[in-house]
Amino acid sequence: MEIHRVGVVGLGTMGAGIAQVSVQSGHETVGREISDELNDRAHSTIDRYLTRAVEKGRMTQADKDASIGRLTLTTSLEELADCGLVIEAIVEELEPKRELFAELERICPPDAILATNTSALSVSKIAEATKRPERVIGMHFFNPALVLPLVEIVRTEKSSDEALDAAYAWAERAGKKPVRCNDTPGFIVNRILIPLLNDCVRVLDEAGVSPEDLDKAMTNGAGWPMGPCALVDLVGIDIHVHASEALHQALGEDRMAPPKRLLDMQHEGKLGRKTGEGFFTY
Ligand SMILES: NC(=O)c1ccc[n+]([C@@H]2O[C@H](COP(=O)([O-])OP(=O)(O)OC[C@H]3O[C@@H](n4cnc5c(N)ncnc54)[C@H](O)[C@@H]3O)[C@@H](O)[C@H]2O)c1
């Protein structure tokens, strides 16, 4: 199944990046936000990144113009009516996602693939809101979506092989490195990384080590490309805590619960890079 037109619903941190990946790889793309202001914000974010790519010599002006020309933004979900693939990247809450998927099923062609970018919710529970769960899969991009190549292609018990294969092929054409996995809490990377980062934070107090030295230890002793404290600051303390709580709730292992130190930081509004202060100051 060849996908020509792609819909992206929710153009925040992840959706704007996914829409850019899609237009850059030659796909007509319709993005949907809930207001014209949010559409304008997404458009200028994408335009700014494309302009930077031209300035750095990674893209020609003609390619930039063609990419931005493939992007249509709307507040009306009906405009996704002829999309062969829709990727949802709205708020990380089950009910709004289920409502959206039920609407998408009504609007989109019967063979459209409906994909969720959820990090921690059950793809199966989202699929159950539709009458064609075989067309519903997970496509979990990583932040920043434009830069990180991995896309976890998540299969529920009901997802069809044909939908999974078409999404996998689309991700490859978009220049990504897709990997297939089951619909289990945290999928692959977060299932491993979240408890590991929580261990790192606990070691700060247990071993009496500073964030600078912990990052120095893991980059120089374990070959990590980035230290764990710098990584949690980049992800955002609130996002990491939320994902830890979801994983802990789903799997019940103590290591998955967010460490007190992170909960204190969240309470104090020290959320990492986005607030200018986390383990480090920015
Ligand atoms: N931020 C990350 O690091 C990251 C990484 C991977 C996956 N995710 C997942 O991606 C999804 C989006 O996360 P984000 O960080 O981009 O969130 P975000 O808050 O930056 O963006 C969400 C956007 O969705 C919009 N929205 C809400 N309801 C909508 C609707 N019905 N139709 C259209 N737009 C709607 C909001 O206005 C907002 O702009 C979540 O499910 C999240 O778990 C996030």
Side-chain angles (χ1 to χ4, degrees):
M1 175 191 171
E2 190 75 20
I3 295 160
H4 298 291
R5 202 166 155 88
V6 177
V8 180
V9 186
L11 300 170
T13 310
M14 295 305 293
I18 295 167
Q20 186 172 346
V21 166
S22 181
V23 292
Q24 268 183 218
S25 56
H27 299 94
E28 291 293 328
T29 304
V30 190
R32 194 264 181 147
E33 256 296 347
I34 48 178
S35 71
D36 290 332
E37 292 72 31
L38 290 170
N39 275 333
D40 290 346
R41 185 191 65 178
H43 194 278
S44 55
T45 303
I46 294 171
D47 191 69
R48 193 170 60 248
Y49 282 119
L50 288 169
T51 302
R52 202 179 296 167
V54 174
E55 283 165 3
K56 297 215 163 153
R58 292 197 301 264
M59 180 183 270
T60 64
Q61 182 66 42
D63 281 345
K64 181 209 151 170
D65 294 343
S67 293
I68 209 85
R70 283 189 280 268
L71 181 65
T72 311
L73 297 182
T74 181
T75 52
S76 160
L77 209 54
E78 311 287 333
E79 287 194 38
L80 278 71
D82 52 358
C83 291
L85 167 66
V86 178
I87 303 171
E88 166 275 313
I90 69 166
V91 280
E92 183 71 343
E93 287 170 35
L94 188 59
E95 272 322 305
K97 286 193 197 280
R98 283 172 55 91
E99 278 168 28
L100 176 65
F101 274 69
E103 270 194 90
L104 287 171
E105 176 184 44
R106 181 178 59 76
I107 292 165
C108 298
D111 63 347
I113 299 166
L114 306 180
T116 173
N117 184 47
T118 182
S119 306
L121 298 173
S122 154
V123 179
S124 307
K125 281 194 184 149
I126 297 170
E128 279 164 15
T130 74
K131 288 184 212 72
R132 24 178 157 123
E134 68 280 4
R135 307 307 298 169
V136 179
I137 63 166
M139 284 182 83
H140 186 220
F141 290 73
F142 287 73
N143 187 14
L146 201 57
V147 178
L148 289 181
L150 181 63
V151 181
E152 292 170 338
I153 306 282
V154 183
R155 75 172 87 78
T156 72
E157 282 183 10
K158 297 197 174 151
S159 308
S160 75
D161 287 343
E162 194 258 337
L164 291 160
D165 291 347
Y168 186 101
W170 181 87
E172 279 197 320
R173 277 200 309 281
K176 295 297 180 191
K177 304 270 185 220
V179 172
R180 291 181 178 85
C181 64
N182 289 343
D183 180 25
T184 49
F187 311 131
I188 307 170
V189 171
N190 285 346
R191 167 68 181 79
I192 295 167
L193 198 55
I194 286 170
L196 189 56
L197 288 173
N198 286 340
D199 279 347
C200 291
V201 173
R202 291 189 179 100
V203 164
L204 287 171
D205 296 317
E206 285 167 16
V209 59
S210 67
E212 287 81 2
D213 280 354
L214 181 69
D215 281 15
K216 193 173 167 186
M218 294 307 287
T219 49
N220 290 287
W224 285 26
M226 184 183 225
C229 295
L231 181 55
V232 177
D233 272 358
L234 180 68
V235 168
I237 277 66
D238 53 337
I239 303 266
H240 179 84
V241 164
H242 188 267
S244 296
E245 282 167 344
L247 211 54
H248 183 234
Q249 201 178 7
L251 296 174
E253 281 181 37
D254 289 347
R255 291 175 65 224
M256 289 165 180
K260 181 173 180 306
R261 186 167 174 143
L262 287 183
L263 294 172
D264 290 346
M265 286 169 75
Q266 184 178 22
H267 187 66
E268 290 161 21
K270 294 181 182 171
L271 302 184
R273 276 182 181 266
K274 63 182 150 193
T275 57
E277 202 175 351
F279 288 106
F280 303 110
T281 304
Y282 298 90

